[in-house]
Amino acid sequence: MNNMYEVYGGDIPEEAPDLDGAPDRRIRAGAGITDDAATKELEDMKKRLKEMEEEAAALRDMQAKVEKEMGAVQDPANAAIQEACKEDADSRSVYVGNVDYSCTPEEVQQHFQSCGTVNRVTVLTDKFGQPKGYAYVEFLEVEAVQNALILNESELHGRPLKVAAKRTNVPGMKQIRGRRFSPYHGYHPRRRFPRFRRPVRSRPY
């Protein structure tokens, strides 16, 4: 027997909405919020990682600079090479004293030009830039030093020059000059003299 259904007083209703889809939309919305938070957190982590890498690079550069400076100071081979170069330059140089304050390096070079090829002339000055009255002349040839010593007591700007071979200063060694003996700077013991006090006289009022 077939079952038959009858509808009274209205049209056949449409299909009911799918209620199961609403939770899906909520889940998708929540998933979108979670993805945004994860993306922001990932960007923050990348930013912090970049800052840490920059700080590490700065520290490496600073450490390399310090090691370079310490190596330049403490490297014995480098110090020996510099000392040898300095000794070689000093062996080709002369000290010139009693130089007039108005004398220029060009005039000093011209004065010693006949001795040999002048490589460099250094006129010493104080912290205010004023000449100290002496200079150093460096030649290219060692033989020129002996020729320059002949010009000792020669005049430049009306003043006799004092020419001598330049000495090489040894680092860490300081010349100590002893005092001359003087009988007037001997030991004098301190003498004590008794003190005399005046008697106190009482005066009547």
Side-chain angles (χ1 to χ4, degrees):
M1 182 177 179
N2 296 329
N3 295 325
M4 300 179 63
Y5 300 93
E6 294 181 0
V7 179
Y8 300 96
D11 298 331
I12 298 175
E14 298 178 356
E15 293 182 358
D18 188 5
L19 299 177
D20 296 335
D24 294 339
R25 288 193 295 271
R26 290 195 297 269
I27 292 173
R28 287 195 296 270
I33 296 174
T34 306
D35 294 340
D36 294 339
T39 304
K40 185 177 180 181
E41 184 177 358
L42 182 60
E43 292 178 355
D44 294 340
M45 291 178 62
K46 289 182 179 179
K47 185 177 180 181
R48 289 196 297 269
L49 182 61
K50 185 177 180 181
E51 292 177 355
M52 292 174 62
E53 291 178 353
E54 292 177 355
E55 292 179 358
L59 289 175
R60 285 194 298 269
D61 295 340
M62 186 180 299
Q63 184 177 2
K65 184 178 180 181
V66 172
E67 289 178 355
K68 183 177 180 181
E69 292 178 356
M70 293 180 64
V73 174
Q74 298 179 359
D75 189 5
N78 190 17
I81 293 174
Q82 292 181 357
E83 187 64 24
C85 294
K86 187 175 185 301
E87 290 179 359
D88 179 64
D90 291 345
S91 65
R92 295 181 281 104
S93 303
V94 293
Y95 163 83
V96 183
N98 198 27
V99 179
D100 188 65
Y101 295 128
S102 62
C103 190
T104 61
E106 290 76 12
E107 292 175 340
V108 177
Q109 179 181 358
Q110 185 177 2
H111 186 77
F112 289 92
Q113 194 69 39
S114 60
C115 303
T117 306
V118 179
N119 184 32
R120 179 171 54 186
V121 176
T122 304
V123 178
L124 278 298
T125 58
D126 56 12
K127 62 181 181 179
F128 302 104
Q130 301 297 327
K132 291 184 177 181
Y134 61 94
Y136 292 103
V137 180
E138 178 183 342
F139 298 95
L140 290 179
E141 306 87 2
V142 181
E143 297 79 9
V145 175
Q146 299 300 326
N147 298 331
L149 296 179
I150 301 176
L151 297 180
N152 186 32
E153 299 296 335
S154 61
E155 291 188 359
L156 180 62
H157 281 205
R159 302 180 65 173
L161 300 178
K162 304 295 182 181
V163 183
K166 184 180 179 182
R167 296 177 298 177
T168 301
N169 296 327
V170 180
M173 298 294 292
K174 188 175 181 181
Q175 185 178 4
I176 301 176
R177 297 181 180 179
R179 295 183 178 179
R180 297 181 180 179
F181 174 76
S182 176
Y184 300 102
H185 294 85
Y187 173 73
H188 298 283
R190 183 178 179 183
R191 298 179 181 180
R192 296 183 178 181
F193 299 94
R195 295 182 178 180
F196 297 95
R197 296 182 179 179
R198 294 182 179 180
V200 179
R201 297 181 180 179
S202 59
R203 296 180 180 181
Y205 294 101

